[in-house]
Amino acid sequence: MKHFLFFWGVALLLPIFHFTLHVGLGIGAGAPDLLTVGLLVTARQVRTGTAAGMGFALGLMEDALSILSFGANSVALTVVGILGARSRDVFVGESLMFLASYLALGIWLRGAIHWLLTRDGAREEAVRVFVVQLPMAAAYAAAVGTVLLMVTGIWKSGPSR
Amino acid sequence: MASFEPDRVESRGRRGLILPLVFLVLSALLLLVPPATQGRVSSVLRGSVLAPFIQIQESLHQARLLSESLGDLRFQLDSTLSVLHSQSTIEEENRRLRALLDLRDRSSAGFLAASAIRSGTRGSESMFLLDVGRLDGVEVSDPVVVADGLIGMVREVGLRSALAMDWTHPDFRVSGMTLDGEVFGIVEPRQGAFREEDRLILNGVSFHTPVEDGVPVVTSGRGAVYPRGILVGTIAGLAEIEAGWRRSYWLDPSVRPGSATHVLVLTEERPTDSEPFEDLWLPGERLLGPSR
């Protein structure tokens, strides 16, 4: 029960930290994408429908701050939530390497879907986004997320374990 | 007796797919709903769930303003006073000339000071939030300026807040002209290799009117959004020539959107349907056309 509460506490805190860093402190791209980290970690522990719902809700919050591509964040995070939940059936792992790769891949995918759904004229050049920006953002957020999850012990505990 | 377990598992699996699909369809629908609906949804979320985060940035902004050095503020005040002082006679001259020409007073724009808050989330690169809204007199399409020139316009208005786009937004357009009024064109954004390299372009300039580098370009006042005379940028070279009938020029923007934290919203009163056009003419003046 203690682990359960602790897991959900941290899972809730990650989006709050994300919006505090990005919106509250206005750090922008300098802050890691903790929203996707939180979703990816939670998605491994909940049903696919719940993960999709969480992705939708979090994406909608990000979309509320966007006038370039309203809905793109919602679609991206819903897809990431669904795939994160379904990944349980395909990949099983608790190693540090698995966690870092899982987070990095999820964050890269989220950025890629967002780019694809962004309207023409507002998109940056594909090669630079897919080869430079997204891998760097993914590596950064995955590193911060991994350290955070290992320090808090969330990754090993999970809500029901 | 045959076990029904596999069937039940299969049906649960199928049911388990319905909810994710529902959310996926819902999120896809968000891309398709009209901009007005998107604006309403955004506005509700910004005023509720996201309000604390926006409030934090507003508070930080206010604190930063308060900590600005007194010397800088004194310098700005002195500069403003000297400009006002040097122009005091011009105002009187202008009034007298208008009286001589029987011209009516010009409607003046109201300036509303506001803090520009950038959210820094994905997809929010060309927008900023303002801490003034409908209750303060802000309307959709009000221009947003800083001391150096035009920065953008208001897109959505809430009660106490507004969402504005800056000139890097792909929808941004403004009718521009050179300061001498000789050359007109449409100013629009062009994306650079990096966001910091975004530039403006003065498009649709007639081929036979070349423009020198360094010439200031201001708003022409054509259209119903931007008043005449707001600095947009300066000419920074020829961009395109098309078949001998059109030229485009690069513009160095007068304002870098990221640097603006304190802006002014121009809240000019625009004529509405309830205000008849006849009031625009002086008594005795009549529209040209056949008399009835």
Side-chain angles (χ1 to χ4, degrees), chain A residues 22-23 64 66 119 123 128, chain B residues 46 57 119 123-124 171 191 193:
Chain A
H22 283 82
V23 184
S66 161
R119 49 178 286 193
R123 282 179 184 163
R128 198 174 46 252
Chain B
R46 285 198 305 271
Q57 197 175 128
S119 68
S124 67
D171 288 348
Q191 220 175 44

Side-chain angles (χ1 to χ4, degrees), chain A residues 15-29 33 47-50 52-54 56 60-76 78-79 82 86 107 110-112 114 117 119-125 128 133-134 137, chain B residues 12-13 16-17 19-21 23-24 26-33 37-39 41-43 45-46 49-50 52-54 56-58 60 64 117-129 155-156 163-165 168-171 191-195:
Chain A
I16 293 175
F17 278 149
H18 174 85
F19 283 113
T20 306
L21 292 172
H22 283 82
V23 184
L25 303 180
I27 296 175
D33 183 1
R47 288 183 183 171
T48 314
T50 313
M54 286 176 66
F56 176 73
L60 197 58
M61 283 167 72
E62 284 238 309
D63 281 331
L65 298 161
S66 161
I67 52 173
L68 274 177
S69 48
F70 189 87
N73 283 309
S74 299
V75 175
T78 306
V79 171
I82 292 170
R86 302 303 292 185
I107 292 158
R110 180 252 163 111
H114 183 273
L117 295 175
R119 49 178 286 193
D120 287 339
R123 282 179 184 163
E124 291 187 57
E125 200 185 312
R128 198 174 46 252
Q133 287 181 6
L134 285 180
Chain B
R12 206 187 301 145
L17 282 177
L19 200 56
L21 273 176
F23 282 117
L24 200 56
L26 270 178
S27 60
L29 280 177
L30 287 178
L31 291 163
L32 305 173
V33 295
T37 313
Q38 293 179 348
V41 174
S42 306
S43 190
L45 285 170
R46 285 198 305 271
V49 193
L50 295 167
F53 305 107
I54 295 168
I56 291 173
Q57 197 175 128
E58 276 178 20
L60 283 174
R64 216 176 294 138
I117 297 158
R118 293 197 171 263
S119 68
T121 52
R122 198 183 291 273
S124 67
E125 291 85 0
S126 297
M127 56 79 71
F128 53 94
L129 295 162
R155 278 284 292 252
E156 293 167 18
L163 187 71
M165 68 173 187
T168 62
H169 193 281
D171 288 348
Q191 220 175 44
F194 296 94
R195 295 311 303 250

Side-chain angles (χ1 to χ4, degrees), chain A residues 31 56 73 83 91 95:
Chain A
F56 176 73
N73 283 309
L83 293 179
F91 304 109
S95 70

Side-chain angles (χ1 to χ4, degrees), chain A residues 33-54:
Chain A
D33 183 1
L34 294 178
L35 199 67
T36 316
V37 171
L39 176 67
L40 283 167
V41 174
T42 318
R44 297 273 299 177
Q45 309 290 340
V46 296
R47 288 183 183 171
T48 314
T50 313
M54 286 176 66

